[in-house]
Amino acid sequence: MNLKRRQFLFLSSLSAFGSGLLAWKFAHKYYQNTDLAIASPPKKDLLLRFVSVADTGTGAKGQYAVAKAMTLYHKQNPYDLVVLAGDNIYNNGEIEKVNAVFERPYQDLLKQGVKFQACLGNHDIRTDNGDPQVRYPGFNMNGRRYYTFRRDRVQFFALDTNNNADWQNQLTWLEKELSSSNAPWKIVFGHHPIYSSGVYGSNQAFIKTFTPLFKKYGVQLYINGHEHSYERTRAIDGTTYLICGAGAGNRPVGRSKWTEYSTSDLSFATYEVYPDRIELNAIATNNRVFDRGIIRRLGV
């Protein structure tokens, strides 16, 4: 009997005796050298699993390739939340394109009840200042250009980071919401980067504006797009900055002294939130995990 046949019979016998966890461990060991994004065993202390992606709305093959990888990951590791970090509709935010660049590419996820929480990118505001997208039910912005929502012990804060945003009121709102939040995990997302080694680079005005707020109120993670690449920083004053803008197209990206990982590969990011940590993976269109990181919750 050849090796593959013996492995098949061994896994089948484990399944027959209800030993699902042992079967998973065997399969994981067997496939670990391929670094594929395979299903995880059940974890009793998992609070939330979600994914993020940005700069998606082309309707072209790159978007479909990432969407296919997101769908496969969902089948193996179910989630019901996608953070959609802007440039949802290219090139000019025309809402009449929403079927071609959102509903069709992600139809398998939408049919299974996965909820997309969007913010506005610079392309999205080119038509009617993005108002049709703000009102579009599928983006779940509920008529607000910046908003907050909570999942279990995780609170999310969506921002409008465009040049014409209502910055005075938005920053007042953000500090009020952050200061009043009792969520152990605080995650902020917007379209534009704060720290970046990509084409646009770091935004010094945003560093001056946001980093003191994030440090003061314990924001552990900022997610954005705009750069058509993937980049994860080390924790900077307690906050990790993650760019997931290679959701349909890509551009070059370099490295900085605070960069943990960067690549131009088409991809999306996944997050598993636990009481004491967030386990982060980045997955390419070949379904391989190319980056792994852990965000620790301080004081736990």
Side-chain angles (χ1 to χ4, degrees), residues 265-277:
D265 292 351
L266 292 174
S267 56
F268 66 102
T270 77
Y271 313 80
E272 289 190 337
V273 185
Y274 298 88
D276 63 337
R277 71 197 185 281

Side-chain angles (χ1 to χ4, degrees), residues 28-36 288:
H28 183 266
K29 182 178 181 181
Y30 182 68
Y31 288 109
Q32 62 184 352
N33 291 331
T34 67
D35 204 27
L36 294 175
R288 294 181 182 272

Side-chain angles (χ1 to χ4, degrees), residues 7-24:
Q7 288 166 343
F8 172 79
L9 291 176
F10 178 64
L11 287 174
S12 298
S13 66
L14 285 176
S15 178
F17 285 101
S19 301
L21 181 58
L22 289 176
W24 178 88

Side-chain angles (χ1 to χ4, degrees), residues 31-145:
Y31 288 109
Q32 62 184 352
N33 291 331
T34 67
D35 204 27
L36 294 175
I38 63 175
S40 299
K43 300 177 182 178
K44 64 180 180 180
D45 56 346
L46 178 65
L47 301 176
L48 175 68
R49 180 185 290 124
F50 71 99
V51 309
S52 71
V53 68
D55 301 272
T56 55
T58 65
K61 64 180 182 180
Q63 182 184 15
Y64 274 90
V66 175
K68 183 179 179 180
M70 290 168 62
T71 301
L72 178 61
Y73 180 76
H74 178 270
K75 290 178 181 178
Q76 299 170 333
N77 302 276
Y79 59 88
D80 64 358
L81 172 63
V82 176
V83 167
L84 190 60
D87 280 358
N88 314 309
I89 302 176
Y90 284 105
N91 281 320
N92 299 305
E94 309 97 316
I95 197 64
E96 61 268 21
K97 292 183 178 179
V98 74
N99 180 258
V101 304
F102 175 70
E103 294 172 351
R104 284 209 299 266
Y106 305 114
Q107 60 183 325
D108 291 336
L109 294 174
L110 292 168
K111 287 177 181 177
Q112 296 178 76
V114 176
K115 190 173 185 179
F116 287 70
Q117 296 280 172
C119 66
L120 295 174
N122 54 296
H123 284 266
D124 299 319
I125 64 171
R126 291 181 179 180
T127 297
D128 297 329
N129 200 28
D131 287 341
Q133 290 195 42
V134 172
R135 296 190 298 265
Y136 171 63
F139 290 158
N140 291 292
M141 300 175 72
N142 297 319
R144 296 168 295 177
R145 306 180 78 84

Side-chain angles (χ1 to χ4, degrees), residues 10 39 46 65 169 202 239 292:
F10 178 64
L46 178 65
N169 287 327
S202 297
T239 305
R292 289 185 171 93

